[in-house]
Amino acid sequence: MTHPIVRTRDGSVRGLPAAHGAVFHSVPYAAVPTGADRFRAPRPPAPWTGVRDATHPGATAPQPFRGAFGALDMTPYFGPGWVRGADYLTVDVHTTDTGSGAAPVMVFVHGGGFVAGSPQAALYAGDAFARDGVVVVRVGYRLGVAGFLHLPDAPDNRGLLDVLAALRWVQENIAAFGGDPANVTVFGQSAGAILLGGLLADDRSAGLLRRAVLQSGSGTAAFTTAQAQRITDAAMIALGTGPGAEMLAAVPDEDLVDVLAELAGVDLGTGTGSHPLGGITPLGLVLDEQPAAAIARGKAAEVELLIGSTTEEGALYLAPVGGLVDVTDADLLATAAQSHRDAAAVVAAYRGERPRATSAELRTAILSDGLFRRGTRRTVEARATASAATYAYEFGWRSDAFDGALGACHTVELPFVFETTGLPALHGPTALLGTGTPPAELATSIHAAWTGFAATGNPGWSPIGPDRSHVEALGVAPDRAGAAGGRRERTPPVRLPPG
C-alpha cells in the first residue's frame, strides 16, 4: 500500500490511501496553543523537517464529553470528545488526487454549541465528496473558554480567528492536495454555521472563499459585549482568578473545561433582548453588530450562499428528554421565555396562527424558531440586495425516533449531506435516524445539491429572487406525504410582537 506524500508550506505530510483518494489527518494550520497563547490570535505553525505522519487522527480541542442529548445517542455528531494533546489546531484533508489543483474545495466547520465537537466525528466522513471529485477540508478550532470567553486583554472570537487561519492555509496549500484555491466553499452546521455567518460579516474573509453553506445556524445569535461580560464574571468567580489571558495562562485545560458547567443558566436578559441562543450554550460569537445586520449592509455580497434549516429544529432538545409529552401551558411559556421577553404574547401569537397545532407541536415550533429558524430567515432577508445568488431550503424528512417525536430535528440533515445515512450508530429507536431506512434517493439528491453548489454555484433549484419567496423543500417523511423523499410546503413564519 502506497502512502501518498504531499509537500505543504510548512513541511511534508504522509497520508492514508482511502476508497476514494486519500486522507491526511491532523495537518497543522496554526501553532500549538499553550499557556497564554490559548487566548491569543493564531500564529502560523512551526515548519518541520522530514515527513510528518498524517495517517491517524490526532488531538482535539479541550471539551467536556457529550455523548448524548437525554436518551439520544449523539456520539456520531460529537465524535470522540477530548483527545488529549496540545496540537489540535489542525485540518483533515480528504482528496481525490494530489496533483491537478482543479477540484472544488469544501471546508467544513463542525457544530457543538461552541464548547464541543470535532472534525473526527464519524458523521463527517468525506468519502462521498471525494468520490464525486471534491476535496474536503475539516477544521478543528478552539472551543469553550479558550475559543470564545470574552477577555479584556485578548481578541474576541478566537475560534473564528482559527477558522480564518485555516482558510488562509487552504489558499496557500490546497493546490498540492488537488484542490482549486479559487473555488472554495465553506459549509457548517449549528455553531459552525453561526461561525460562518460571522465570517461573512468579517472583512478579513475577503478573498478566502467563493461560496458558503449555512445549515441550521442563525444570523442573530451573537452575544453583545455586555452579555459576554456576564459570562466572563461568572467564569472568573468559578475559577477564582481575574479576567485576562495572562491570569488564565497557568490554569490547566481541565479547569477551563470543568468551569463550563458553572456557566449554564447565567441570566443574559437585558432591556433590549434575551439570551441570543436561548440558553442552550453559555458561549458564542461576541459582536457589536449581528451578522445578519452586517450582511444587510452589503458584507459578503459577492459570496454565493446556500442557507436553510430543518422544520423541527427544537425537537432535538425536547424529544430525548420527554419534553414533548404532556406539554402544559407553563411549558410553552417557559420555552418562549428562552428567546423572548414577552413570553405570553409569543405563545398567543403561535396559537393564533396555528390553531390546529398540538401543544407539543407549538413547543417545538417556538423553540425551533427562537434558536435557529428566525435567525436564518433574517439572514436570507439580509441578502435582498446581494450581487451573488442566494439559495434557501427547508429540510423536512422526519426521523421516527422517540415514537416519531424527534422528527425533522436539528442535525438530522447532516447524514444526507455527507451520505453517511448507513452508519449503524445512527439507527435505532433512540438514534438520530430512528428505526426506518432513510430514502437513499434523498441522500443522493441532497449530497448532489451540495456538491453541485460547490462546483458551479447552483444546487439545482431557483435562487430566492427579489421577493425572497422561494424556499426549496427537501425531504418529507412517508406519514406526512405518502412517499419518502417527497416535497411539502415550507412552514410559514409566525408574526411575533416586538422583542
Side-chain angles (χ1 to χ4, degrees), residues 200-265:
L200 294 178
D202 194 315
D203 289 336
R204 291 169 291 189
S205 69
L208 298 180
L209 64 148
R210 186 171 180 178
R211 304 181 178 99
V213 183
L214 276 56
Q215 301 172 216
S216 297
S218 172
T220 58
F223 291 67
T224 66
T225 301
Q227 289 174 321
Q229 186 62 50
R230 293 189 190 182
I231 299 293
T232 300
D233 293 344
M236 295 308 105
I237 291 171
L239 289 168
T241 186
E246 295 301 328
M247 294 182 182
L248 291 174
V251 178
D253 287 330
E254 288 80 2
D255 291 353
L256 299 182
V257 169
D258 290 344
V259 79
L260 294 172
E262 304 291 328
L263 306 181

Side-chain angles (χ1 to χ4, degrees), residues 200-203 289 291 293-303 383 386:
L200 294 178
D202 194 315
D203 289 336
E289 180 182 41
I295 290 169
R297 290 193 297 103
K299 296 290 187 180
E302 75 288 352
V303 175
R383 294 276 296 185

Side-chain angles (χ1 to χ4, degrees), residues 46-326:
W48 60 88
T49 58
V51 179
R52 180 185 174 103
D53 180 32
T55 60
H56 301 284
T60 62
Q63 60 190 279
F65 181 73
R66 284 192 168 182
F69 276 1
L72 177 65
D73 178 13
M74 288 292 285
T75 52
Y77 178 82
F78 285 114
W82 185 5
V83 178
R84 304 301 175 103
D87 194 0
Y88 60 83
L89 293 185
T90 61
V91 293
D92 288 358
V93 182
H94 196 145
T95 183
T96 54
D97 68 70
T98 58
S100 72
V105 180
M106 296 188 73
V107 179
F108 182 69
V109 182
H110 68 79
F114 301 94
V115 299
S118 164
Q120 298 177 17
L123 199 50
Y124 310 141
D127 302 79
F129 286 104
R131 177 200 67 205
D132 295 334
V134 176
V135 174
V136 175
V137 180
R138 300 187 299 268
V139 179
Y141 57 94
R142 279 175 283 186
L143 301 168
V145 170
F148 297 98
L149 188 71
H150 172 66
L151 297 169
D153 60 345
D156 281 330
N157 309 317
R158 296 172 293 277
L160 177 59
L161 297 182
D162 293 341
V163 175
L164 283 162
L167 287 171
R168 286 191 287 268
W169 182 93
V170 167
Q171 286 297 309
E172 296 174 355
N173 294 282
I174 205 62
F177 293 89
D180 180 0
N183 192 9
V184 173
T185 298
V186 294
F187 68 130
Q189 185 266 349
S190 193
I194 295 171
L195 277 174
L196 295 184
L199 183 80
L200 294 178
D202 194 315
D203 289 336
R204 291 169 291 189
S205 69
L208 298 180
L209 64 148
R210 186 171 180 178
R211 304 181 178 99
V213 183
L214 276 56
Q215 301 172 216
S216 297
S218 172
T220 58
F223 291 67
T224 66
T225 301
Q227 289 174 321
Q229 186 62 50
R230 293 189 190 182
I231 299 293
T232 300
D233 293 344
M236 295 308 105
I237 291 171
L239 289 168
T241 186
E246 295 301 328
M247 294 182 182
L248 291 174
V251 178
D253 287 330
E254 288 80 2
D255 291 353
L256 299 182
V257 169
D258 290 344
V259 79
L260 294 172
E262 304 291 328
L263 306 181
V266 174
D267 182 12
L268 297 184
T270 67
T272 58
S274 54
H275 195 303
L277 284 166
I280 62 172
T281 181
L283 295 169
L285 290 178
V286 182
L287 297 171
D288 294 329
E289 180 182 41
Q290 291 290 353
I295 290 169
R297 290 193 297 103
K299 296 290 187 180
E302 75 288 352
V303 175
E304 294 165 321
L305 180 64
L306 174 61
I307 182 171
S309 60
T310 69
T311 303
E312 298 162 299
E313 300 271 7
L316 177 71
Y317 305 93
L318 296 171
V321 295
L324 296 177
V325 178
D326 298 326

Side-chain angles (χ1 to χ4, degrees), residues 437-484:
T437 301
E441 65 274 16
L442 181 59
T444 298
S445 65
I446 289 178
H447 175 76
W450 264 239
T451 56
F453 179 71
T456 69
N458 187 342
W461 65 79
S462 300
I464 56 172
D467 61 357
R468 303 181 299 284
S469 62
H470 184 78
V471 177
E472 188 77 358
L474 302 176
V476 61
D479 62 346
R480 289 282 181 98

